[in-house]
Structure formats: C-alpha cells, structure tokens
Amino acid sequence: MLLGRNSKCWCGSGEKYKKCHMEFDEKLKQFAREGYEIPTRDMIKNAEQIEKIKESARINTAVLDEVEKHIKAGMTTEEINTIVHDFTVANGAIPAPLGFCGYPKSVCTSVNDQICHGIPSEDVVLKDGDIINVDVSTIYNGYYSDASRMYMIGEVSEEAKKLVQVTKESMELAISKVKPWVPMGVIGATIQEYVHKHGYTVVREFGGHGIGLEFHEDPFVFHYGYEDEGVIMVPGMMFTIEPMINQGGYDLYIDQNNGWTSYTKDGKLSAQWENMILVTEDGCEILTY
C-alpha cells in the first residue's frame, strides 16, 4: 500500500511519513534499481522497540558478567546453567533457549571441539586448559537479546589462546565495518580474510541473525563471502555477529544423540564470540558488551 506524505509512517513512530521514512524509502528504491538486495520493513526497529530491546540486552550482558565471576576448573556445565537460569529469573527475565525448538537447558555451553549448542550436563566437568563458549539469550518484557563469550579455564595452551583471541578480533573488526548503506557482505568478507591469514577456517553452516522482536529473525548474517553481497544495512536494523572459527577444517557434525551439539569433524578446537549490533545513522552501536 502506498503511503501519502502526511500519512503516519509505517515504522510505528507516529510521525508523518514525509518527516520519518519517506526519504529513507526513496534511497532504498535507488539501491534496488542498482541491483542490491534491500531490507524488508520488518527488519527495521523503531525507537521504542530499540529502547525495549536494549533493556533486555543489559540483562543479557549482566548474565555473562555473572558467569565470568564464577566459572572455573572443577565446575560442571550444569552449574553454569544454574547460574544463568537463576540470575536471569532473579532479574525478571526468561532464558530464551529453554524450550526453544525443544532445547532442554537455559544456556549453551560449548567446550573445546564443540562448535555451538553444547548442552549443559552434570557429566561435563571443566578442567585446566579447556576453552568454553557460553551463549546467553534473554527475553525481557517480550524482547530478545543474544550474546556469547569465550572463557579460558586455568592454564590454556598458546594455540588455544591464539584461536580465542583471533576469533574475538575478527568479530570486532567486522563490527567496525558496520555502517548504513553498505552491503552486509562486508561482515563475512572481513571475518574470512582475517581468520584465513592466521590459518583458521570459518564455520559455514551457522551464522548471525536478526534479533529483538523474536529470537531469530531475518537477515541471516554470513561470516564468510564477498563484501558486495547481501542485504543493504540501514539504520534500525539489529542483528548478531557471531563468528565460529575452527583451528582446523570447517567441516562439522551434529551429535546424533541429542540433535543439537555440533563438533569439529577433525576434533580440533573451535571458538566463538557473539555481540548484538544496532545499525545507527552514522555507524553502529554494540548492545551486549
């Protein structure tokens, strides 16, 4: 449906279209004419939604901070699950993973050669030298947030330290490239180029995603590829950047017993960092640091 200049804007701001998104839409039409993929309106959050999502993100960050205070050798991943669940609920929020598509726990804990979706267990005890990704997702007043961190347990090998550091740097470098009116492909191209220089590979089966009103929204965020590919990033878009980087090859397999946990096929280490990003008028804002 075509909007008149004086109609209320489609974004829900309550402002007149001509003062809100009319110029924005014209700019997108030009990108479309030039052959670029443009975002759909449901990928774009309004100011009220952004503030509500930020509230969720603040709790999500606090959960990861709480894990950081307690994580240590000798702890089970089930104990991490308890910390995450109890702290989230105590702050009036809901752990988003719990029950999502049948997932049985409140957090993902992926150790060493586990790439993602590791399920907390009383049988998995952290030991000196382990690396672990703790992936926390939160629902607060109906709004979603999502981020993960790597933790190094005790004395970790130099090889493991380097993988964790390079993975984090690749994410940060990709975030620095996020700005409006450029294709999202710059994210994947930046990550791929950086980790390949260090001899690592990028997992291809998983990627980042839109988030905020739902757990997983469009667009899918590739962590490899070419910088001129993908949807044009615009102000109000919100998504995760969460590269999963392998020490060896990028091939993986899924645990057939639980249907969730992914492992490196060659048994080598994997690392992941994740942050939640808002595209702004002149760059981006990290919501989960």
Side-chain angles (χ1 to χ4, degrees), residues 124-150:
V124 179
V125 181
L126 297 180
K127 62 183 186 300
D128 195 63
D130 282 344
I131 61 172
I132 176 173
N133 177 268
V134 178
D135 192 346
V136 171
S137 310
T138 301
I139 311 169
Y140 183 63
N141 290 335
Y143 294 89
Y144 289 76
S145 53
D146 189 11
S148 77
R149 297 179 191 169
M150 292 297 299

PDB file of all heavy atoms in Angstrom, residues 124-150:
ATOM      1  N   VAL A 124      29.781 -33.083  32.384  1.00  0.00           N
ATOM      2  CA  VAL A 124      30.856 -32.310  31.760  1.00  0.00           C
ATOM      3  C   VAL A 124      31.478 -31.404  32.815  1.00  0.00           C
ATOM      4  O   VAL A 124      30.862 -30.425  33.254  1.00  0.00           O
ATOM      5  CB  VAL A 124      30.334 -31.479  30.573  1.00  0.00           C
ATOM      6  CG1 VAL A 124      31.474 -30.673  29.957  1.00  0.00           C
ATOM      7  CG2 VAL A 124      29.690 -32.390  29.528  1.00  0.00           C
ATOM      8  N   VAL A 125      32.700 -31.750  33.214  1.00  0.00           N
ATOM      9  CA  VAL A 125      33.411 -31.005  34.254  1.00  0.00           C
ATOM     10  C   VAL A 125      34.536 -30.216  33.605  1.00  0.00           C
ATOM     11  O   VAL A 125      35.382 -30.787  32.897  1.00  0.00           O
ATOM     12  CB  VAL A 125      33.984 -31.958  35.331  1.00  0.00           C
ATOM     13  CG1 VAL A 125      34.696 -31.159  36.423  1.00  0.00           C
ATOM     14  CG2 VAL A 125      32.877 -32.827  35.919  1.00  0.00           C
ATOM     15  N   LEU A 126      34.562 -28.921  33.821  1.00  0.00           N
ATOM     16  CA  LEU A 126      35.622 -28.090  33.240  1.00  0.00           C
ATOM     17  C   LEU A 126      36.950 -28.412  33.899  1.00  0.00           C
ATOM     18  O   LEU A 126      37.035 -28.572  35.118  1.00  0.00           O
ATOM     19  CB  LEU A 126      35.288 -26.608  33.430  1.00  0.00           C
ATOM     20  CG  LEU A 126      34.026 -26.102  32.735  1.00  0.00           C
ATOM     21  CD1 LEU A 126      33.837 -24.618  33.018  1.00  0.00           C
ATOM     22  CD2 LEU A 126      34.089 -26.350  31.231  1.00  0.00           C
ATOM     23  N   LYS A 127      37.975 -28.485  33.061  1.00  0.00           N
ATOM     24  CA  LYS A 127      39.308 -28.796  33.574  1.00  0.00           C
ATOM     25  C   LYS A 127      40.316 -27.766  33.093  1.00  0.00           C
ATOM     26  O   LYS A 127      40.073 -27.021  32.136  1.00  0.00           O
ATOM     27  CB  LYS A 127      39.723 -30.199  33.162  1.00  0.00           C
ATOM     28  CG  LYS A 127      39.840 -30.422  31.671  1.00  0.00           C
ATOM     29  CD  LYS A 127      40.181 -31.862  31.358  1.00  0.00           C
ATOM     30  CE  LYS A 127      40.437 -32.075  29.867  1.00  0.00           C
ATOM     31  NZ  LYS A 127      39.279 -31.731  29.021  1.00  0.00           N
ATOM     32  N   ASP A 128      41.424 -27.728  33.763  1.00  0.00           N
ATOM     33  CA  ASP A 128      42.507 -26.810  33.414  1.00  0.00           C
ATOM     34  C   ASP A 128      42.884 -26.986  31.943  1.00  0.00           C
ATOM     35  O   ASP A 128      43.105 -28.109  31.487  1.00  0.00           O
ATOM     36  CB  ASP A 128      43.719 -27.100  34.309  1.00  0.00           C
ATOM     37  CG  ASP A 128      44.736 -25.991  34.286  1.00  0.00           C
ATOM     38  OD1 ASP A 128      44.404 -24.878  34.709  1.00  0.00           O
ATOM     39  OD2 ASP A 128      45.874 -26.247  33.834  1.00  0.00           O
ATOM     40  N   GLY A 129      42.934 -25.879  31.203  1.00  0.00           N
ATOM     41  CA  GLY A 129      43.293 -25.920  29.791  1.00  0.00           C
ATOM     42  C   GLY A 129      42.128 -25.901  28.833  1.00  0.00           C
ATOM     43  O   GLY A 129      42.312 -25.745  27.618  1.00  0.00           O
ATOM     44  N   ASP A 130      40.888 -26.044  29.349  1.00  0.00           N
ATOM     45  CA  ASP A 130      39.710 -26.009  28.481  1.00  0.00           C
ATOM     46  C   ASP A 130      39.421 -24.581  28.002  1.00  0.00           C
ATOM     47  O   ASP A 130      39.714 -23.601  28.692  1.00  0.00           O
ATOM     48  CB  ASP A 130      38.471 -26.497  29.238  1.00  0.00           C
ATOM     49  CG  ASP A 130      38.412 -28.008  29.379  1.00  0.00           C
ATOM     50  OD1 ASP A 130      39.134 -28.712  28.653  1.00  0.00           O
ATOM     51  OD2 ASP A 130      37.626 -28.486  30.236  1.00  0.00           O
ATOM     52  N   ILE A 131      38.805 -24.498  26.828  1.00  0.00           N
ATOM     53  CA  ILE A 131      38.167 -23.254  26.404  1.00  0.00           C
ATOM     54  C   ILE A 131      36.685 -23.550  26.239  1.00  0.00           C
ATOM     55  O   ILE A 131      36.298 -24.645  25.818  1.00  0.00           O
ATOM     56  CB  ILE A 131      38.774 -22.679  25.101  1.00  0.00           C
ATOM     57  CG1 ILE A 131      38.620 -23.653  23.927  1.00  0.00           C
ATOM     58  CG2 ILE A 131      40.233 -22.309  25.317  1.00  0.00           C
ATOM     59  CD1 ILE A 131      39.037 -23.064  22.570  1.00  0.00           C
ATOM     60  N   ILE A 132      35.851 -22.576  26.602  1.00  0.00           N
ATOM     61  CA  ILE A 132      34.405 -22.813  26.563  1.00  0.00           C
ATOM     62  C   ILE A 132      33.684 -21.551  26.103  1.00  0.00           C
ATOM     63  O   ILE A 132      34.013 -20.439  26.525  1.00  0.00           O
ATOM     64  CB  ILE A 132      33.875 -23.257  27.956  1.00  0.00           C
ATOM     65  CG1 ILE A 132      32.342 -23.414  27.916  1.00  0.00           C
ATOM     66  CG2 ILE A 132      34.314 -22.305  29.055  1.00  0.00           C
ATOM     67  CD1 ILE A 132      31.743 -24.002  29.182  1.00  0.00           C
ATOM     68  N   ASN A 133      32.718 -21.750  25.218  1.00  0.00           N
ATOM     69  CA  ASN A 133      31.829 -20.673  24.824  1.00  0.00           C
ATOM     70  C   ASN A 133      30.538 -20.791  25.619  1.00  0.00           C
ATOM     71  O   ASN A 133      29.930 -21.865  25.670  1.00  0.00           O
ATOM     72  CB  ASN A 133      31.512 -20.734  23.329  1.00  0.00           C
ATOM     73  CG  ASN A 133      30.527 -19.657  22.902  1.00  0.00           C
ATOM     74  OD1 ASN A 133      29.322 -19.875  22.883  1.00  0.00           O
ATOM     75  ND2 ASN A 133      31.045 -18.491  22.578  1.00  0.00           N
ATOM     76  N   VAL A 134      30.146 -19.689  26.249  1.00  0.00           N
ATOM     77  CA  VAL A 134      28.870 -19.626  26.962  1.00  0.00           C
ATOM     78  C   VAL A 134      27.981 -18.655  26.202  1.00  0.00           C
ATOM     79  O   VAL A 134      28.286 -17.470  26.091  1.00  0.00           O
ATOM     80  CB  VAL A 134      29.066 -19.178  28.424  1.00  0.00           C
ATOM     81  CG1 VAL A 134      27.709 -19.085  29.128  1.00  0.00           C
ATOM     82  CG2 VAL A 134      29.988 -20.143  29.167  1.00  0.00           C
ATOM     83  N   ASP A 135      26.893 -19.186  25.657  1.00  0.00           N
ATOM     84  CA  ASP A 135      25.998 -18.427  24.778  1.00  0.00           C
ATOM     85  C   ASP A 135      24.692 -18.163  25.524  1.00  0.00           C
ATOM     86  O   ASP A 135      23.918 -19.079  25.791  1.00  0.00           O
ATOM     87  CB  ASP A 135      25.742 -19.232  23.500  1.00  0.00           C
ATOM     88  CG  ASP A 135      25.063 -18.417  22.415  1.00  0.00           C
ATOM     89  OD1 ASP A 135      24.552 -17.328  22.718  1.00  0.00           O
ATOM     90  OD2 ASP A 135      25.038 -18.882  21.265  1.00  0.00           O
ATOM     91  N   VAL A 136      24.476 -16.886  25.857  1.00  0.00           N
ATOM     92  CA  VAL A 136      23.331 -16.482  26.674  1.00  0.00           C
ATOM     93  C   VAL A 136      22.328 -15.713  25.821  1.00  0.00           C
ATOM     94  O   VAL A 136      22.711 -14.825  25.052  1.00  0.00           O
ATOM     95  CB  VAL A 136      23.803 -15.604  27.854  1.00  0.00           C
ATOM     96  CG1 VAL A 136      22.613 -14.986  28.583  1.00  0.00           C
ATOM     97  CG2 VAL A 136      24.641 -16.420  28.825  1.00  0.00           C
ATOM     98  N   SER A 137      21.065 -16.035  25.968  1.00  0.00           N
ATOM     99  CA  SER A 137      19.988 -15.338  25.262  1.00  0.00           C
ATOM    100  C   SER A 137      18.862 -15.075  26.255  1.00  0.00           C
ATOM    101  O   SER A 137      18.520 -15.943  27.056  1.00  0.00           O
ATOM    102  CB  SER A 137      19.471 -16.168  24.092  1.00  0.00           C
ATOM    103  OG  SER A 137      20.546 -16.610  23.282  1.00  0.00           O
ATOM    104  N   THR A 138      18.282 -13.873  26.176  1.00  0.00           N
ATOM    105  CA  THR A 138      17.362 -13.411  27.209  1.00  0.00           C
ATOM    106  C   THR A 138      16.092 -12.833  26.602  1.00  0.00           C
ATOM    107  O   THR A 138      16.135 -12.141  25.577  1.00  0.00           O
ATOM    108  CB  THR A 138      18.051 -12.323  28.063  1.00  0.00           C
ATOM    109  OG1 THR A 138      19.237 -12.869  28.646  1.00  0.00           O
ATOM    110  CG2 THR A 138      17.143 -11.804  29.155  1.00  0.00           C
ATOM    111  N   ILE A 139      14.972 -13.106  27.249  1.00  0.00           N
ATOM    112  CA  ILE A 139      13.704 -12.447  26.922  1.00  0.00           C
ATOM    113  C   ILE A 139      13.324 -11.570  28.107  1.00  0.00           C
ATOM    114  O   ILE A 139      13.224 -12.051  29.242  1.00  0.00           O
ATOM    115  CB  ILE A 139      12.561 -13.452  26.675  1.00  0.00           C
ATOM    116  CG1 ILE A 139      12.986 -14.553  25.698  1.00  0.00           C
ATOM    117  CG2 ILE A 139      11.316 -12.731  26.165  1.00  0.00           C
ATOM    118  CD1 ILE A 139      11.996 -15.717  25.627  1.00  0.00           C
ATOM    119  N   TYR A 140      13.123 -10.289  27.855  1.00  0.00           N
ATOM    120  CA  TYR A 140      12.706  -9.370  28.911  1.00  0.00           C
ATOM    121  C   TYR A 140      11.542  -8.539  28.395  1.00  0.00           C
ATOM    122  O   TYR A 140      11.680  -7.823  27.398  1.00  0.00           O
ATOM    123  CB  TYR A 140      13.864  -8.472  29.328  1.00  0.00           C
ATOM    124  CG  TYR A 140      13.531  -7.537  30.475  1.00  0.00           C
ATOM    125  CD1 TYR A 140      13.201  -8.050  31.731  1.00  0.00           C
ATOM    126  CD2 TYR A 140      13.532  -6.162  30.295  1.00  0.00           C
ATOM    127  CE1 TYR A 140      12.896  -7.205  32.786  1.00  0.00           C
ATOM    128  CE2 TYR A 140      13.220  -5.311  31.343  1.00  0.00           C
ATOM    129  CZ  TYR A 140      12.908  -5.838  32.589  1.00  0.00           C
ATOM    130  OH  TYR A 140      12.596  -4.993  33.639  1.00  0.00           O
ATOM    131  N   ASN A 141      10.411  -8.677  29.065  1.00  0.00           N
ATOM    132  CA  ASN A 141       9.177  -7.989  28.636  1.00  0.00           C
ATOM    133  C   ASN A 141       8.856  -8.267  27.169  1.00  0.00           C
ATOM    134  O   ASN A 141       8.354  -7.396  26.450  1.00  0.00           O
ATOM    135  CB  ASN A 141       9.286  -6.489  28.883  1.00  0.00           C
ATOM    136  CG  ASN A 141       9.260  -6.146  30.370  1.00  0.00           C
ATOM    137  OD1 ASN A 141       8.722  -6.900  31.174  1.00  0.00           O
ATOM    138  ND2 ASN A 141       9.857  -5.024  30.736  1.00  0.00           N
ATOM    139  N   GLY A 142       9.184  -9.481  26.732  1.00  0.00           N
ATOM    140  CA  GLY A 142       8.858  -9.893  25.369  1.00  0.00           C
ATOM    141  C   GLY A 142       9.904  -9.546  24.323  1.00  0.00           C
ATOM    142  O   GLY A 142       9.726  -9.871  23.149  1.00  0.00           O
ATOM    143  N   TYR A 143      11.016  -8.931  24.719  1.00  0.00           N
ATOM    144  CA  TYR A 143      12.063  -8.530  23.778  1.00  0.00           C
ATOM    145  C   TYR A 143      13.315  -9.383  23.988  1.00  0.00           C
ATOM    146  O   TYR A 143      13.687  -9.697  25.123  1.00  0.00           O
ATOM    147  CB  TYR A 143      12.388  -7.043  23.954  1.00  0.00           C
ATOM    148  CG  TYR A 143      11.237  -6.153  23.562  1.00  0.00           C
ATOM    149  CD1 TYR A 143      10.261  -5.789  24.497  1.00  0.00           C
ATOM    150  CD2 TYR A 143      11.094  -5.691  22.255  1.00  0.00           C
ATOM    151  CE1 TYR A 143       9.186  -4.990  24.142  1.00  0.00           C
ATOM    152  CE2 TYR A 143      10.013  -4.891  21.888  1.00  0.00           C
ATOM    153  CZ  TYR A 143       9.068  -4.545  22.833  1.00  0.00           C
ATOM    154  OH  TYR A 143       7.997  -3.758  22.479  1.00  0.00           O
ATOM    155  N   TYR A 144      13.985  -9.704  22.874  1.00  0.00           N
ATOM    156  CA  TYR A 144      15.062 -10.689  22.872  1.00  0.00           C
ATOM    157  C   TYR A 144      16.444 -10.049  22.744  1.00  0.00           C
ATOM    158  O   TYR A 144      16.627  -9.037  22.059  1.00  0.00           O
ATOM    159  CB  TYR A 144      14.885 -11.648  21.696  1.00  0.00           C
ATOM    160  CG  TYR A 144      13.734 -12.606  21.834  1.00  0.00           C
ATOM    161  CD1 TYR A 144      12.421 -12.174  21.636  1.00  0.00           C
ATOM    162  CD2 TYR A 144      13.943 -13.937  22.165  1.00  0.00           C
ATOM    163  CE1 TYR A 144      11.347 -13.042  21.751  1.00  0.00           C
ATOM    164  CE2 TYR A 144      12.876 -14.821  22.286  1.00  0.00           C
ATOM    165  CZ  TYR A 144      11.573 -14.367  22.070  1.00  0.00           C
ATOM    166  OH  TYR A 144      10.524 -15.238  22.196  1.00  0.00           O
ATOM    167  N   SER A 145      17.418 -10.707  23.387  1.00  0.00           N
ATOM    168  CA  SER A 145      18.824 -10.330  23.235  1.00  0.00           C
ATOM    169  C   SER A 145      19.664 -11.599  23.216  1.00  0.00           C
ATOM    170  O   SER A 145      19.224 -12.667  23.653  1.00  0.00           O
ATOM    171  CB  SER A 145      19.265  -9.407  24.370  1.00  0.00           C
ATOM    172  OG  SER A 145      18.963  -9.977  25.637  1.00  0.00           O
ATOM    173  N   ASP A 146      20.909 -11.477  22.746  1.00  0.00           N
ATOM    174  CA  ASP A 146      21.713 -12.681  22.494  1.00  0.00           C
ATOM    175  C   ASP A 146      23.183 -12.299  22.384  1.00  0.00           C
ATOM    176  O   ASP A 146      23.536 -11.381  21.632  1.00  0.00           O
ATOM    177  CB  ASP A 146      21.235 -13.314  21.176  1.00  0.00           C
ATOM    178  CG  ASP A 146      21.831 -14.681  20.895  1.00  0.00           C
ATOM    179  OD1 ASP A 146      22.465 -15.269  21.797  1.00  0.00           O
ATOM    180  OD2 ASP A 146      21.643 -15.163  19.759  1.00  0.00           O
ATOM    181  N   ALA A 147      24.056 -12.969  23.145  1.00  0.00           N
ATOM    182  CA  ALA A 147      25.498 -12.732  23.042  1.00  0.00           C
ATOM    183  C   ALA A 147      26.240 -13.911  23.662  1.00  0.00           C
ATOM    184  O   ALA A 147      25.693 -14.657  24.474  1.00  0.00           O
ATOM    185  CB  ALA A 147      25.901 -11.437  23.755  1.00  0.00           C
ATOM    186  N   SER A 148      27.496 -14.070  23.277  1.00  0.00           N
ATOM    187  CA  SER A 148      28.296 -15.136  23.885  1.00  0.00           C
ATOM    188  C   SER A 148      29.734 -14.682  24.074  1.00  0.00           C
ATOM    189  O   SER A 148      30.210 -13.760  23.408  1.00  0.00           O
ATOM    190  CB  SER A 148      28.256 -16.416  23.032  1.00  0.00           C
ATOM    191  OG  SER A 148      29.103 -16.312  21.906  1.00  0.00           O
ATOM    192  N   ARG A 149      30.405 -15.332  25.002  1.00  0.00           N
ATOM    193  CA  ARG A 149      31.812 -15.068  25.272  1.00  0.00           C
ATOM    194  C   ARG A 149      32.574 -16.385  25.384  1.00  0.00           C
ATOM    195  O   ARG A 149      32.003 -17.421  25.721  1.00  0.00           O
ATOM    196  CB  ARG A 149      31.989 -14.306  26.588  1.00  0.00           C
ATOM    197  CG  ARG A 149      31.378 -12.926  26.638  1.00  0.00           C
ATOM    198  CD  ARG A 149      31.601 -12.285  27.999  1.00  0.00           C
ATOM    199  NE  ARG A 149      30.803 -11.062  28.149  1.00  0.00           N
ATOM    200  CZ  ARG A 149      30.640 -10.425  29.303  1.00  0.00           C
ATOM    201  NH1 ARG A 149      31.215 -10.894  30.409  1.00  0.00           N
ATOM    202  NH2 ARG A 149      29.913  -9.320  29.356  1.00  0.00           N
ATOM    203  N   MET A 150      33.864 -16.293  25.127  1.00  0.00           N
ATOM    204  CA  MET A 150      34.769 -17.403  25.385  1.00  0.00           C
ATOM    205  C   MET A 150      35.400 -17.213  26.760  1.00  0.00           C
ATOM    206  O   MET A 150      35.767 -16.091  27.146  1.00  0.00           O
ATOM    207  CB  MET A 150      35.873 -17.463  24.329  1.00  0.00           C
ATOM    208  CG  MET A 150      35.411 -17.822  22.940  1.00  0.00           C
ATOM    209  SD  MET A 150      34.681 -19.482  22.775  1.00  0.00           S
ATOM    210  CE  MET A 150      36.047 -20.543  23.254  1.00  0.00           C
TER     211      MET A 150
END
